[in-house]
Amino acid sequence: AKALSVFNDVSGMFCAETVAGAHVFPQITVKGFLMKKAISLGRPADAVYSSELLERAGITTEPGCCFGQRPGTFHFRLSMWQSSNSFEEDLERVQKFHVEHPDGWFQ
């Protein structure tokens, strides 16, 4: 429930309720810097998003392109059993990353 409220409160993120299991699978809107990077690399946008999320925030996810998502949609799978910090801290870092990703990190 915590993941749903965090993700659904952010513009460009939507997470359906998880009935059971240890993962959430939010749908994301990828734009700006990361979309341009994905196009230039010829890689799915959610794969680039997941790679950057690991590099910049230390959060391990699996891109939705690995799971056969509908064309034109982007997702990532996040385990609710992250080994690094508490799950709530991980959610905050994902939220911050998502808000910042369109403009890139050029500072």
Side-chain angles (χ1 to χ4, degrees):
K2 173 75 174 172
L4 296 179
S5 65
V6 168
F7 292 143
N8 292 335
D9 286 346
V10 177
S11 177
M13 295 186 97
F14 171 75
C15 192
E17 186 171 348
T18 303
V19 178
H23 297 91
V24 291
F25 204 61
Q27 182 173 345
I28 53 174
T29 301
V30 181
K31 54 188 175 181
F33 170 74
L34 284 184
M35 182 56 83
K36 291 174 187 173
K37 184 173 182 177
I39 291 167
S40 72
L41 295 173
R43 294 182 59 209
D46 50 3
V48 174
Y49 186 99
S50 290
S51 295
E52 291 284 332
L53 184 57
L54 176 60
E55 181 179 324
R56 298 184 183 283
I59 305 293
T60 303
T61 60
E62 296 174 273
C65 60
C66 295
F67 300 98
Q69 64 194 358
R70 283 179 292 142
T73 63
F74 304 110
H75 299 77
F76 64 86
R77 184 172 82 165
L78 175 67
S79 171
M80 291 188 277
W81 304 107
Q82 295 287 327
S83 61
S84 58
N85 297 311
S86 74
F87 186 60
E88 288 77 20
E89 289 173 356
D90 290 344
L91 291 175
E92 289 173 13
R93 292 194 338 243
V94 170
Q95 183 180 38
K96 182 178 186 298
F97 173 88
H98 188 79
V99 169
E100 293 174 348
H101 90 272
D103 296 324
W105 299 270
F106 304 109
Q107 301 153 359

